[in-house]
Amino acid sequence: MVGLQPSERPPTTAVKFLAAGTAACFADLLTFPLDTAKVRLQIQGENQAALAARSAQYRGVLGTILTMVRTEGPRSLYSGLVAGLQRQMSFASIRIGLYDSVKQFYTPKGSDHSSIITRILAGCTTGAMAVTCAQPTDVVKIRFQASMHTGPGGNRKYSGTMDAYRTIAREEGVRGLWKGILPNITRNAIVNCGEMVTYDIIKEKLLDYHLLTDNFPCHFVSAFGAGFCATLVASPVDVVKTRYMNSPPGQYHSPFNCMLKMVTQEGPTAFYKGFTPSFLRLGSWNVVMFVTYEQMKRALMKVQMLRDSPF
């Protein structure tokens, strides 16, 4: 019996798990400055007194990046990268790597195709599972990205990533590491549905109608559409999540209280602060991640088949 080629043999769950985490880390390395700019724009305006005291005002994506480089140095764009990579290895591995397995679990037996409802359920499930496991890394990442430092003489609350975990747990309790988990679960359930379900459907239709083959152009178009859809629907929750997770104890009583203060003090447009960097970051992140993910699955399956081959 002739064996399947690597491109035809379905990747195992372990292969998807490893490929998703690695591809997400690679995408983070390339797009992290955009994510940092997004965080700075999202928190700008939440504390008017601090805002008035600051000399640095952020205007747009490029303006934010240039201001940070000028006032804090180029390294500030990658503040929190270690926690970001830790987050992706645990977070993306679950929400992306396990998506197909969970989707198959929800699909009724005997059905050839998964419905949109089934895919949404799978996206929500893996997104919630991933946040529950990776929330502490997200809290630390945002704290680093949001903090301003002006070089060697500047005051920094955390000396490093591990010190940040210890300091937050000591000052705010272990629960502080899971601060904002409810808005984060909501946000990532929406993002995961926007990303995975949109990517899944666009890719499926492109292949079914023979518009593209299963290669780079197909992955690029599907990933770009997934990034735009995810940014559009998740931006309001993302802003609330970022502000709540970055806030000192007592500033907001709950995520809902944070949302109400934003509306009353800054208006509803505050929910879309940082939308452009969010889309630039999420769109480019999706393209890099999904293209890398697809190629890594094939490469890992080739390695596995060579290892299993008797020759």
Side-chain angles (χ1 to χ4, degrees), residues 48-266:
Q48 297 298 331
L51 181 63
R54 278 184 186 172
S55 58
Q57 297 286 319
Y58 305 124
R59 297 183 182 278
V61 186
L62 183 59
T64 301
I65 292 175
L66 291 177
T67 299
M68 290 180 64
V69 171
R70 186 178 67 251
T71 59
E72 304 173 57
R75 292 183 62 183
S76 65
L77 297 173
Y78 281 91
S79 183
L81 178 63
V82 174
L85 296 180
Q86 291 172 349
R87 174 181 179 267
Q88 292 299 350
M89 280 307 298
S90 54
F91 180 70
S93 297
I94 295 172
R95 77 178 185 90
I96 298 170
L98 298 183
Y99 171 78
D100 286 333
S101 299
V102 175
K103 182 178 71 173
Q104 187 176 8
F105 174 79
Y106 283 137
T107 302
K109 291 184 178 180
S111 178
D112 294 333
H113 297 284
S114 300
S115 66
I116 294 179
I117 299 299
T118 298
R119 299 181 204 210
I120 291 175
L121 282 174
C124 289
T125 301
T126 56
M129 289 168 56
V131 171
T132 304
C133 296
Q135 180 70 3
T137 62
D138 204 11
V139 172
V140 171
K141 178 183 79 78
I142 284 180
R143 295 288 178 93
F144 269 104
Q145 289 178 313
S147 64
M148 292 185 65
H149 53 91
T150 55
N155 293 324
R156 298 189 65 180
K157 187 170 184 179
Y158 311 118
S159 60
T161 304
M162 297 310 298
D163 178 62
Y165 289 115
R166 288 191 295 266
T167 302
I168 293 171
R170 184 175 64 251
E171 295 181 354
E172 304 175 40
V174 177
R175 290 179 62 183
L177 291 170
W178 270 268
K179 186 175 184 178
I181 189 169
L182 291 180
N184 210 13
I185 286 177
T186 304
R187 183 254 182 193
N188 282 290
I190 295 171
V191 168
N192 210 38
C193 288
E195 284 181 354
M196 296 305 301
V197 176
T198 305
Y199 180 84
D200 204 11
I201 292 174
I202 292 176
K203 180 182 173 183
E204 182 181 88
K205 297 306 178 185
L206 289 173
L207 296 176
D208 286 348
Y209 290 103
H210 305 289
L211 299 174
L212 292 171
T213 56
D214 192 6
N215 52 22
F216 174 79
C218 177
H219 304 155
F220 180 90
V221 172
S222 303
F224 186 83
F228 180 77
C229 181
T231 308
L232 190 65
V233 298
S235 188
V237 183
D238 191 31
V239 176
V240 173
K241 179 213 75 165
T242 299
R243 291 198 176 190
Y244 186 71
M245 288 169 62
N246 182 59
S247 65
Q251 182 173 354
Y252 303 118
H253 302 304
S254 65
F256 185 71
N257 177 248
C258 177
M259 181 189 72
L260 288 179
K261 283 189 176 182
M262 284 176 59
V263 173
T264 55
Q265 294 176 7
E266 303 170 60

Side-chain angles (χ1 to χ4, degrees), residues 5-23:
Q5 296 298 315
S7 59
E8 299 171 342
R9 185 175 175 181
T12 63
T13 301
V15 165
K16 293 177 184 176
F17 193 86
L18 178 60
T22 307

